[in-house]
Amino acid sequence: MKIYADRFPSVVRQFLTDLLVVVWVYAAVRFALWVHDLVEKLAVPGRKLEGAGGGLADNLAEAGGKVGRVPLVGDELTAPFNRAADAARSVAEAGRDQQELVGQLALALAVAVLVFPLGLVLFGWLPLRVRWMRRAGAAKAMAAVPAGRDLLALRALAGQPLSKLTRIGPDVAESWRRGDDATVDALAALELRGLGLRSGR
């Protein structure tokens, strides 16, 4: 029971840290999407401008076509309609350009919002997690052989808090020097628990 009491906080700490990272990334992505959608709303006037300009250009072109069928003066009457239609197409093009610009701005801001939180995860948490996985893997492999358990016991003596060492025995260092199997196993298990691992014995 005492073994699990010592090991439990380390496992919970790892789980909570991983959960916090997942929540952090999820919240960052949701916030970036919210910023993207918010900026995209600026494209609404551009869409309206494009629709109005395009519709006006089509109507003017259609009217010019009808006027152009008037005998003798049709060509002269068509010119103003064509110029007006070209101007309306320019308005529609400006609306499309505005939408494209807003889309690029929305994407750039969303990426900028994600850079900092994802950078913390990639360059802060992830290297520490990978280092822990390597240490835990090496410790687990060492625990499978007697010499490895001796090394884990030595690491425990050198790095574990005195309060935990004294729980194993009143003179734990002397017992380790004598090669007491129970003390070596207890020290190795203590070191494994410090890494969030369970002793195999």
Side-chain angles (χ1 to χ4, degrees):
M1 182 64 70
K2 185 179 292 186
I3 290 178
Y4 287 107
D6 289 341
R7 173 176 171 264
F8 188 70
S10 179
V11 174
V12 171
R13 202 162 47 244
Q14 292 170 14
F15 173 76
L16 290 179
T17 301
D18 293 345
L19 182 61
L20 182 62
V21 169
V22 171
V23 172
W24 172 263
V25 171
Y26 174 78
V29 171
R30 292 290 298 179
F31 182 68
L33 291 175
W34 177 79
V35 170
H36 182 275
D37 293 342
L38 183 64
V39 176
E40 275 287 349
K41 291 180 180 179
L42 298 176
V44 172
R47 286 194 289 270
K48 292 181 178 179
L49 197 62
E50 180 185 4
L56 182 60
D58 292 341
N59 291 334
L60 288 170
E62 183 180 355
K66 291 179 180 179
V67 171
R69 291 195 292 270
V70 175
L72 301 177
V73 295
D75 291 340
E76 295 179 7
L77 294 176
T78 301
F81 285 95
N82 290 337
R83 285 195 297 270
D86 290 340
R89 291 189 188 97
S90 298
V91 171
E93 184 66 27
R96 284 191 291 272
D97 292 343
Q98 193 256 358
Q99 292 176 70
E100 183 178 350
L101 180 62
V102 168
Q104 293 173 353
L105 178 62
L107 180 60
L109 287 177
V111 171
V113 165
L114 280 175
V115 166
F116 177 71
L118 293 186
L120 285 180
V121 171
L122 292 176
F123 301 107
W125 171 82
L126 188 59
L128 293 176
R129 196 72 168 103
V130 171
R131 186 173 67 180
W132 174 85
M133 291 172 65
R134 289 176 178 172
R135 288 177 58 198
K140 195 171 183 180
M142 283 192 296
V145 295
R149 296 186 70 80
D150 287 338
L151 182 57
L152 288 173
L154 179 59
R155 285 179 59 88
L157 281 173
Q160 292 295 326
L162 290 176
S163 59
K164 292 185 178 182
L165 294 175
T166 54
R167 293 179 196 171
I168 296 174
D171 196 359
V172 62
E174 179 61 30
S175 299
W176 173 78
R177 277 196 293 267
R178 290 199 314 268
D180 181 66
D181 288 338
T183 301
V184 170
D185 288 344
L187 287 170
L190 179 62
E191 183 66 16
L192 290 174
R193 288 196 301 275
L195 292 171
L197 299 175
R198 183 175 180 179
S199 175
R201 294 188 180 183

